[in-house]
Amino acid sequence: MGYPRTPSLVNPSRSGRKPVRSDRVSMSRGVEGGGRRLAPSMTPPASPAQAQPSAAPPRDSCCFCCLNVRVRQQDSHARPSMTDLALVSPSRHGQLPPSEDVLSWAHSFDRMIFSPTGRALFQRYLRSEFSEENLLFWLACEELQGESEPSTVQEKARLIYEDFISILSPREVSLDSRVRESIHAAMANPSAHMYHEAQLQIYTLMHRDSFPRFLASPMYRQCVSSASASAVPTASALSPTSLAS
């Protein structure tokens, strides 16, 4: 009497058949069932920071690029440079100084440079000659002399040096070597009057060099004509000798 034979377990490696992977079985079943065969994704899961959607730009900006430009423009208007002083334009508010004031500029450089309208017109002329930095330096020194707070004096003195004294600045003013050396020594302990001698040199340069050409320029003569249009000019007021420097 023999014993019943139990079915033998066939070793897949001996039978020559390779074991079937579970993922292939699930994928093949999906294909047989009419499903779509998809390759396993190799993309790592997104982090919580990446999964969050980016914030939308404000409604008054079409994109973040426009928003950045608008913010930079607002920031530049909120923090003006020390040398960007508010010079009154001759045509602002549609008003011009009386003809007597305009004609008096030809007799006094101080009267012209301390007049807001005359200073603005002179600055426009210096810009056409590529020497606007002389007037800006003079104005910056005037502003520095009115400061008394030590920290403010130190900061403005440094800005003046970087803008007008440093050889690396595109707006460097023309000063002799002796004055430059005195400024270098004064930078160790800045004061409100450390640029007094340099300011005097630039003042003299503008008075003797740029001012006579300004009086002979069409820009100044047009300003004289515009200011005299609303008044009855006299023969002595518009004589050539009255406009001479």
Side-chain angles (χ1 to χ4, degrees):
M1 180 176 180
Y3 293 97
R5 299 181 60 182
T6 58
S8 61
L9 299 178
V10 181
N11 192 343
S13 59
R14 294 183 179 180
S15 62
R17 298 178 58 186
K18 296 183 179 180
V20 181
R21 294 172 51 183
S22 60
D23 56 350
R24 291 189 179 180
V25 173
S26 60
M27 292 170 59
S28 61
R29 290 179 180 176
V31 173
E32 294 175 357
R36 187 176 179 181
R37 184 173 181 177
L38 299 175
S41 175
M42 301 301 293
T43 305
S47 60
Q50 296 176 350
Q52 296 178 357
S54 58
R59 295 183 177 179
D60 55 349
S61 301
C62 61
C63 61
F64 282 106
C65 296
C66 298
L67 175 63
N68 294 333
V69 171
R70 181 169 57 83
V71 170
R72 286 196 298 268
Q73 291 176 350
Q74 292 177 353
D75 188 64
S76 62
H77 292 312
R79 296 182 299 174
S81 173
M82 183 186 65
T83 57
D84 296 335
L85 303 178
L87 301 180
V88 180
S89 174
S91 59
R92 181 173 295 182
H93 307 302
Q95 296 180 356
L96 286 172
S99 59
E100 293 81 5
D101 293 345
V102 177
L103 292 173
S104 67
W105 299 344
H107 304 283
S108 174
F109 179 68
D110 285 344
R111 189 173 298 177
M112 185 272 299
I113 201 172
F114 283 105
S115 167
T117 309
R119 188 169 62 243
L121 189 67
F122 187 55
Q123 181 184 6
R124 186 186 305 174
Y125 174 77
L126 292 179
R127 187 181 300 120
S128 67
E129 284 197 336
F130 303 98
S131 57
E132 184 184 11
E133 65 275 2
N134 292 332
L135 180 60
L136 294 178
F137 171 73
W138 185 85
L139 290 171
C141 293
E142 286 289 305
E143 183 182 356
L144 176 63
Q145 292 174 7
E147 298 292 344
S148 58
E149 183 67 25
S151 59
T152 305
V153 169
Q154 184 177 3
E155 177 66 16
K156 290 190 175 183
R158 181 186 63 83
L159 292 177
I160 292 176
Y161 183 88
E162 293 177 354
D163 287 344
F164 304 105
I165 307 300
S166 174
I167 59 175
L168 301 178
S169 174
R171 297 191 295 182
E172 178 190 6
V173 295
S174 178
L175 299 171
D176 58 37
S177 58
R178 181 183 60 83
V179 174
R180 285 185 175 275
E181 291 177 359
S182 64
I183 293 176
H184 294 332
M187 285 300 296
N189 187 20
S191 65
H193 300 277
M194 61 175 293
Y195 293 107
H196 175 72
E197 193 171 1
Q199 184 186 17
L200 181 60
Q201 279 196 4
I202 298 302
Y203 174 90
T204 304
L205 177 64
M206 292 189 297
H207 188 193
R208 296 180 180 179
D209 186 52
S210 302
F211 184 57
R213 294 197 302 272
F214 165 72
L215 297 178
S217 66
M219 184 181 299
Y220 174 70
R221 294 187 178 274
Q222 183 180 2
C223 183
V224 172
S225 302
S226 300
S228 303
S230 58
V232 180
T234 59
S236 59
L238 296 180
S239 61
T241 56
S242 64
L243 298 178
S245 58

